[in-house]
Amino acid sequence: MKTFFPINQFQSLKTPFYYYDTSLLRETIDCINKEAKKYEKFCVHYAIKSNANPKILSIINEGGLGADCVSGGEIRAALNAGFPNDKIVFAGVGKTDWEIDLGLNNNISCFNVESIPEIEVINDLATAKNKIANVAFRINPNVGAHTHANITTGLAENKFGISMEDVDKVIDLTLGMKNVKFVGLHFHIGSQILDMNDFIALCNRINELQEKLYARQIIVNSINVGGGLGVDYQYPDRQSIPDFATYFATYHKHLRLRPKQTLHFELGRSVVAQCGSLISRVVFVKQGTHKQFVILDAGMTDLIRPALYQAYHKIENITSEEPIETYDVVGPICESSDVFGKAIDINKTHRGDLIAIRSAGAYGEIMASQYNCRELPKGYMSEELI
Ligand code: LLP
């Protein structure tokens, strides 16, 4: 069954653009809240990096999620959308001084720290403001996730986090600092993870680390397990809301929280991916030597995931009911990697048809670029087009 797209309204909009089904977004947030609230100590943050469209952010803020930021720009976007400062956390391997200052000035709830030099700088900048910054250590648990190599983050070879071996040293150092308070542990093993065993492996590493810290009588207030829950790119309409029930239950079952500890999540993709589609118009249908090409007005500048990660996104012709034909669907950019899909079966396509590239709500609009001097795509909400 095809999703409903308001094609009449689309005809007057300049393509390409992102279209967000806000009913699906709201239902997704309701489901997250319903499932997370089964466990009183679970707090869910939204990873702003996956989509920072201001209207999307304000819907997510209304839904009560906190914000996970990785830059000063994201902190500003979160504050502008109304996220309360005490629900904002700030991660990232290379926080610059102005970004740390922005976090300090706004009394954000926690800095997720990734190295020793970073803790020293946060302590210095906090001292200058006579403030105490809450810090959590991002630990690299050396857990591999069964996902694309470019989006695996929790292995020792990745640049992220502090290694398990260095944890004691970092804690000792921090305990000796006056203007930082060690409040938590932070982890993130990767993205688009569908195998719950990967999250179980993370839980096991966290349990081991907690035991080690407990032996030193250290119990942190919060454990943050990052994001990573994947979505069904093959069949976006089959389970358009990811299985949050199993995801939260997995953590509940396998992670041993200490009394009073809270468990934080930073979900990005699973919140916004399925509500967004990139809508594009067919510029030409071209007969090649061995195949036929559908050439769109959208390119890798609008949605870079296929070119960058060989990611699959379902492609649909939403204005044709004609018999299925096979095409390579490509963009207009002067790069041979500007391909959305090869040998794709879609309804027979003509110049002027509208094409929907599905599951594009996460890491789509936000990763758009202006390469080839192109305009950035706009984003429209379903509730605005009615
Ligand atoms: N927390 C941290 C520390 C992260 O690095 C990320 C994503 C998240 C949370 C959110 O993860 P999610 O729930 O969305 O999997 N551009 C890539 C994905 C990069 C993910 C980076 N970190 C893509 O298009 O697949």
Side-chain angles (χ1 to χ4, degrees):
M1 193 189 79
K2 281 188 179 179
T3 316
F4 172 76
F5 288 108
I7 290 161
N8 287 344
Q9 280 93 327
F10 283 0
Q11 296 297 0
S12 59
L13 300 175
K14 183 165 179 257
T15 49
F17 60 85
Y18 277 89
Y19 171 71
Y20 297 106
D21 179 344
T22 47
S23 324
L24 177 58
L25 176 60
R26 288 177 203 280
E27 277 173 44
T28 306
I29 298 167
D30 287 348
C31 175
I32 292 172
N33 283 327
K34 182 175 134 244
E35 296 303 332
K37 280 180 182 145
K38 286 183 182 162
Y39 315 100
E40 51 174 318
K41 293 165 168 187
F42 285 18
C43 310
V44 183
H45 293 248
Y46 166 64
I48 302 270
K49 65 172 79 65
S50 56
N51 188 322
N53 180 303
K55 288 167 197 147
I56 298 278
L57 291 188
S58 69
I59 292 173
I60 294 173
N61 173 47
E62 279 165 32
L65 272 55
D68 156 44
C69 302
V70 290
S71 70
E74 287 192 1
I75 295 177
R76 281 189 186 135
L79 290 168
N80 288 342
F83 284 89
N85 57 344
D86 61 357
K87 280 191 182 174
I88 295 179
V89 298
F90 182 19
V93 285
K95 302 179 187 75
T96 57
D97 291 12
W98 76 264
E99 293 177 307
I100 294 171
D101 276 333
L102 183 70
L104 290 169
N105 292 342
N106 287 287
N107 300 318
I108 60 165
S109 77
C110 193
F111 290 83
N112 292 333
V113 171
E114 307 220 11
S115 66
I116 290 175
E118 184 189 333
I119 306 171
E120 291 169 340
V121 172
I122 295 177
N123 188 52
D124 289 349
L125 294 175
T127 307
K129 291 180 189 297
N130 203 15
K131 290 195 171 194
I132 296 179
N134 287 336
V135 297
F137 299 140
R138 173 158 179 191
I139 311 294
N140 189 328
N142 201 12
V143 169
H146 297 95
T147 183
H148 191 280
N150 289 12
I151 49 177
T152 302
T153 47
L155 284 173
E157 69 201 50
N158 297 130
K159 69 180 174 183
F160 300 99
I162 295 165
S163 71
M164 293 284 260
E165 295 74 48
D166 286 344
V167 174
D168 278 322
K169 192 165 84 192
V170 177
I171 292 176
D172 290 338
L173 184 81
T174 309
L175 293 179
M177 291 178 177
K178 288 206 171 61
N179 293 72
V180 289
K181 187 173 172 211
F182 169 44
V183 297
L185 298 171
H186 177 225
F187 306 83
H188 174 77
I189 54 170
S191 201
Q192 183 54 15
I193 298 170
L194 291 165
D195 183 347
M196 291 299 127
N197 288 314
D198 291 337
F199 297 122
I200 295 173
L202 173 62
C203 291
N204 293 339
R205 298 312 294 269
I206 298 175
N207 292 339
E208 284 166 29
L209 182 59
Q210 289 247 75
E211 288 296 323
K212 228 174 105 184
L213 296 184
Y214 194 60
R216 292 188 55 185
Q217 289 168 5
I218 295 173
I219 301 179
V220 293
N221 303 349
S222 72
I223 305 287
N224 180 333
V225 289
L229 179 63
V231 302
D232 190 345
Y233 281 101
Q234 303 286 333
Y235 302 99
D237 298 315
R238 195 163 66 180
Q239 193 184 9
S240 48
I241 300 181
D243 185 359
F244 293 107
T246 303
Y247 174 71
F248 290 124
T250 302
Y251 276 101
H252 176 69
K253 179 162 176 217
H254 295 275
L255 190 68
R256 287 199 300 276
L257 285 182
R258 309 280 170 187
K260 294 196 189 141
Q261 268 183 344
T262 50
L263 181 60
H264 297 250
F265 299 87
E266 299 170 339
L267 298 174
R269 188 188 314 268
S270 53
V271 185
V272 288
Q274 298 296 26
C275 76
S277 296
L278 176 62
I279 307 296
S280 172
R281 203 174 281 282
V282 176
V283 186
F284 300 116
V285 179
K286 168 170 151 174
Q287 188 59 55
T289 321
H290 301 296
K291 41 180 151 181
Q292 37 182 3
F293 295 94
V294 167
I295 304 171
L296 302 180
D297 61 3
M300 63 192 281
T301 50
D302 306 295
L303 177 66
I304 201 173
R305 302 193 71 257
L308 195 58
Y309 316 116
Q310 296 73 51
Y312 174 83
H313 285 261
K314 186 162 195 265
I315 299 173
E316 292 170 358
N317 185 328
I318 55 174
T319 47
S320 167
E321 296 288 339
E322 291 179 51
I324 300 291
E325 296 214 5
T326 305
Y327 304 91
D328 278 13
V329 179
V330 304
I333 311 295
C334 302
E335 294 274 346
S336 30
S337 56
D338 186 27
V339 175
F340 288 112
K342 290 192 170 159
I344 300 295
D345 291 337
I346 48 174
N347 298 92
K348 185 171 171 58
T349 297
H350 304 276
R351 172 174 163 81
D353 283 353
L354 288 174
I355 300 290
I357 304 181
R358 305 290 308 278
S359 315
Y363 307 109
E365 187 182 354
I366 193 67
M367 290 180 79
S369 80
Q370 291 189 301
Y371 181 45
N372 284 193
C373 291
R374 285 165 60 84
E375 271 177 37
L376 291 174
K378 287 202 168 63
Y380 295 99
M381 305 294 131
S382 54
E383 58 201 23
E384 289 173 347
L385 295 183
I386 292 163

